[in-house]
């Protein structure tokens, strides 16, 4: 039950059932605590202890690990080891068991499926295997034995728990809140999965080029067709072993994916998404194509606790705290601006003129650059512009400001007029542009101008070998998918293949939190199809690619550019 | 299990097998392994070490490492030569961590912090090197360090990915996926001497005892 998380998806039935269950739980707690003269146990307070280590008093919980190391709950809250999902982890060969309600409040027997999941996670060191070999059979926990485990580190059989499991100092009241939360944790599978199928959607905003959407669809369709064929094949021949059918195949589902095409202004998207979601609850949003701010979709996902994996957007939400469910390929234009600021500072830029427009795609990176340069040695002059920018406009502006360098958060057509200016040596030294905003490397500029143009370039450099790129491209070819929009297509392939890997590791535990945790874990496992030089995540990390190059135009080089910086990670 | 053990000890080779083969091999090993589950009495470890991840058990290996000549960046943003940092006559304690690591790094760092208080009178140099340099900027390391009350003698280092990986490889501590990173602590009495590598999680008392033991060992 999900009284704490309360997905609006089940607003009518779900809320009611959840509410009722909560009441029943609360009633149970009241009757118990009435005896002890305590306020009722509140799973929401318990959730704060579990996820943040914050007690009802506002203090952080304290504990001892490794026998003699005093720690505070800000680093040692339950979620840091057992994870938000409650399914535990296996980082560094240290096995942290699941603490979801179905696991804690049931006898632990020798469950092959569970061992299988734990073992299958990844290549594990010998000690880990030793651990999983030892199934530690124990009876179900009750409120009292759970308190003993959390305070004294003994399980119901009297076995001493690993010293890494903190021995917590919790009052009876705090313990009651925490236990009330543990009773709700993972007690019910998440929406979007039924007996036969797992459902996904891909969100597309208005304004997307139909050809780009077609190219994306071809990859999505091709991937799902192959995936579902494979699944059918596996289901038809589960002949490997007696438990193969029961344990491993339990996790197989047919993949179904809908395109959610949004319409109209962005302030109406949230409602459209709710309607679509009510019609077809999905387990996660995969890939996606966005023109403009992705914020509305981000907020929808956070509100629904719905994982949203790697949409193609230049404008993800980058403000902190980051979302729990929105995972991005990169910080988009904000990341470019941060890297540029870093580069300008190391390059001792004196007087910088920044030109931008009112649109989000232009004003947001301008704002990021402004903030990043504040207090530094670079003097920043800015112009927010409207309407057409002709040669006269540029001539007057440059004469007035006399910048040493120029940053233009503009598209190609808006910057073209610069090339009409007489190229005098008194003009700016360098002109910085965003590759993402331009869409492509500008070609055919007069040489004098061309030699001054530098781009922020947040992708892998052309001609760099990324091993998996060839495999993925070969896959596209074999499906007769034209790589007309390689970035969008390869990114979609990444979102799908990482989903595939994550689900495989989850077996039949369809928890969205576990899904996000598995994706965080898988991102570094050589799945990068080559749009970005490196992709990696970690617990809580939300941007898989973290840097950007600064390049100059170089017609004789591969792709017409040449890096003038390393991979800047601001 | 031989297949599994052999390939896991050669990560490069393992990777070159390609995903389908890898998945198949894993599956085979897993099945073989599960078939062996009921006979759980015969625990035999290939290496002579105690189970890790338990405070009472960790393994010790004494070896020499060639410290690469790389320039890293500390938590104030200043560049440091790793060799220079290690060329000291005082004891060095070194660990690899990353700031978003959930299970083991907080425990490793908390143990460093606790041992540091114990060793307060002694001159020791503590070094925590991130294995996630693309995420762990100097600011993030500073933030992480302050969570453990790290003073001036405790260095936190990041740098270029290639340099960090060179260091990891030099200390035999490279993992393709940082999430597979294992808890190891390296102790060295003074410049030019071999290192003591402790694998597993330790209590503060154990770390202090290891440190003091090697300090008082005869030349």
């Amino acid at each position: 039950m999900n009284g704490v998380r309360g997905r609006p998806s089940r607003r009518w039935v779900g809320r009611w059932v959840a509410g009722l269950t909560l009441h029943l739980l609360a009633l149970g707690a009241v009757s118990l605590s009435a005896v002890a003269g305590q306020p009722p146990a509140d799973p929401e307070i318990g959730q704060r202890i579990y996820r943040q280590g914050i007690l009802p008093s506002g203090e952080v919980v304290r504990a001892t690990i490794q026998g003699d190391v005093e720690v505070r709950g800000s680093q040692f809250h339950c979620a840091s080891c057992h994870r938000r999902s409650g399914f535990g982890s296996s980082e560094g060969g240290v096995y942290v068991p699941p603490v979801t309600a179905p696991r804690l409040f049931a006898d632990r027997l020798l469950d092959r499926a569970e061992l299988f999941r734990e073992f299958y996670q990844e290549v594990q060191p010998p000690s880990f295997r030793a651990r999983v070999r030892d199934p530690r059979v124990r009876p179900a926990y009750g409120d009292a034995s759970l308190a003993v485990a959390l305070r004294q580190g003994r399980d119901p059989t009297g076995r001493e728990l690993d010293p890494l499991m903190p021995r917590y100092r919790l009052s009876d009241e705090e313990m009651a809140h925490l236990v009330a939360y543990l009773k709700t944790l993972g007690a019910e599978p998440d929406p979007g999965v039924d007996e036969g199928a797992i459902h996904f959607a891909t969100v597309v905003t208005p304004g997307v080029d139909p050809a780009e959407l077609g190219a994306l669809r071809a990859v999505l369709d091709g991937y799902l067709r192959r995936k579902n064929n494979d699944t059918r094949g596996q289901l038809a021949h589960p002949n490997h072993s007696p438990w193969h059918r029961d344990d491993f195949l339990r996790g197989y589902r047919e993949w179904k994916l809908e395109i959610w095409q949004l319409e109209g202004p962005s302030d109406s998207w949230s409602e459209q998404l709710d309607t679509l979601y009510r019609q077809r609850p999905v387990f996660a949003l995969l890939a996606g194509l966005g023109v403009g701010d992705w914020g509305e979709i981000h907020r929808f996902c956070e509100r629904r606790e719905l994982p949203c994996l790697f949409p193609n957007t230049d404008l993800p939400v980058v403000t902190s705290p980051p979302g729990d469910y929105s995972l991005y390929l990169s910080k988009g234009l904000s990341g470019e601006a941060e890297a540029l600021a870093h580069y300008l500072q190391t390059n001792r830029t004196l007087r910088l003129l920044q030109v931008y427009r009112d649109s989000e795609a232009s004003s947001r990176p301008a704002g990021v650059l402004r903030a990043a340069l504040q207090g530094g040695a670079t003097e920043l002059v800015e112009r927010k512009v409207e309407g057409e920018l002709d040669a006269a406009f540029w001539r007057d502006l440059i004469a007035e400001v006399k910048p040493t360098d120029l940053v233009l958060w503009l598209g190609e057509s808006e910057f073209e007029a610069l090339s009409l200016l007489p190229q005098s040596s008194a003009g700016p030294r360098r002109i910085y542009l965003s590759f993402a905003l331009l869409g492509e490397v500008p070609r055919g500029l007069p040489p004098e101008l061309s030699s001054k143009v530098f781009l922020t370039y947040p992708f892998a450099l052309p001609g760099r070998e990324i091993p998996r790129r060839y495999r993925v491209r070969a896959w596209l070819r074999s499906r007769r998918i034209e790589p007309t929009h390689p970035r969008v297509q390869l990114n979609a392939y990444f979102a799908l293949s990482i989903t595939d890997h994550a689900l495989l590791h989850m077996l039949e535990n369809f928890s969205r939190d576990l899904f996000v945790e598995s994706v965080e874990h898988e991102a570094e496992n050589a799945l990068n199809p080559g749009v970005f030089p490196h992709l990696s995540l970690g617990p809580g990390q939300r941007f898989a690619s973290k840097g950007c190059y600064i390049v100059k135009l170089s017609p004789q080089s591969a792709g017409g550019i040449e890096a003038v910086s390393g991979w800047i990670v601001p | 299990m031989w297949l599994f053990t052999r390939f896991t000890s050669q990560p490069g080779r393992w990777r070159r097998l390609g995903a389908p083969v890898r998945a198949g091999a894993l599956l085979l090993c897993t099945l073989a392994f599960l078939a062996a589950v009921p006979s759980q009495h015969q625990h035999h470890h290939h290496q002579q070490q105690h189970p890790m991840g338990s405070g009472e058990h960790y393994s010790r290996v004494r070896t020499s490492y060639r410290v690469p000549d790389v320039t890293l960046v500390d938590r104030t943003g200043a560049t440091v030569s790793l060799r220079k940092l290690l060329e000291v006559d005082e004891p060095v304690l070194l660990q690899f961590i990353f700031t978003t690591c959930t299970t083991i790094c907080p425990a490793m760092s908390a143990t460093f912090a606790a041992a540091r208080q114990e060793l307060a009178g002694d001159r020791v140099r503590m070094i925590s090197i991130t294995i996630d340099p693309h995420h762990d900027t100097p600011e993030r390391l500073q933030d992480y360090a302050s969570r453990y009350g790290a003073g001036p003698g405790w260095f936190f280092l990041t740098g270029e990915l290639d340099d960090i990986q060179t260091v990891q490889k030099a200390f035999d501590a490279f993992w393709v996926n940082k999430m597979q990173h294992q808890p190891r602590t390296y102790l060295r009495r003074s410049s030019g001497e071999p290192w003591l590598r402790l694998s597993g999680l330790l209590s503060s008392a154990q770390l202090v005892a290891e440190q003091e033991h090697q300090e008082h060992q005869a030349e």
Side-chain angles (χ1 to χ4, degrees), chain A residues 66 68 75-76 80 89 91-92 94 116 119 122-123 131 162-163 243 521 524-525 534 537 539 541 546 569-570, chain B residues 8 14 31 34 53 55 100-103 106 132 134-135 137 147-148 161 177-181 201 203-205:
Chain A
Q66 297 303 120
D68 64 356
Q75 277 76 253
F76 290 87
S80 72
S89 60
E91 210 180 281
V94 173
F116 187 93
F119 188 77
E122 60 187 82
V123 181
R131 287 259 173 137
D162 189 298
W243 61 70
H521 194 288
E524 205 158 321
N525 272 347
H534 308 278
L537 289 172
Q541 295 186 21
K546 297 165 169 76
V569 183
Chain B
T8 49
W14 174 247
L31 294 176
L34 285 177
T100 57
C101 159
T102 48
T103 311
D132 188 14
H134 278 175
H135 183 266
T137 54
R147 284 186 234 157
Y148 298 94
L161 184 66
N177 186 335
K178 65 177 175 288
M179 309 279 263
Q180 283 163 8
H181 135 254
L201 292 170
S203 70
S204 162

Side-chain angles (χ1 to χ4, degrees), chain B residues 68-79:
Chain B
D69 190 10
V70 294
T71 302
L72 302 179
V73 179
D74 73 10
R75 58 177 151 137
T76 69
T79 54

Side-chain angles (χ1 to χ4, degrees), chain A residues 89-142:
Chain A
S89 60
S90 59
E91 210 180 281
V94 173
Y95 171 60
V96 182
V99 291
T100 55
R103 305 300 170 92
L104 283 186
F105 303 104
D107 297 350
R108 185 159 58 201
L109 307 170
L110 194 149
D111 176 356
R112 280 215 166 98
E114 186 46 34
L115 293 181
F116 187 93
R117 185 184 88 82
E118 285 159 6
F119 188 77
Y120 193 77
Q121 290 269 342
E122 60 187 82
V123 181
Q124 292 294 351
S127 61
F128 183 84
R129 278 178 276 141
R131 287 259 173 137
V132 180
R133 256 166 206 259
D134 170 8
R136 287 160 304 162
V137 175
R138 57 143 177 77
Y141 278 96

Side-chain angles (χ1 to χ4, degrees), chain A residues 254-318:
Chain A
E254 183 173 358
W255 284 25
K256 294 199 169 161
L257 186 146
E258 297 180 348
I259 302 282
W260 285 0
Q261 176 68 62
L262 302 176
E263 282 154 17
S266 63
D267 58 11
S268 70
W269 294 354
S270 169
E271 232 180 280
Q272 295 177 43
L273 288 164
D274 273 326
T275 308
L276 288 160
Y277 185 86
R278 269 196 295 275
Q279 286 164 2
R280 173 66 272 165
V282 293
F283 185 72
L285 301 183
L286 304 181
L289 266 182
V291 171
D293 190 357
W294 191 259
E296 286 295 330
I297 303 152
H298 176 106
R299 285 183 285 279
F300 164 79
C301 290
E302 295 304 317
R303 177 161 56 81
R304 291 279 186 183
E305 303 193 327
L306 177 64
C308 176
L309 255 55
F310 308 121
N312 283 280
T313 170
D314 290 333
L315 295 167
V317 173
V318 297

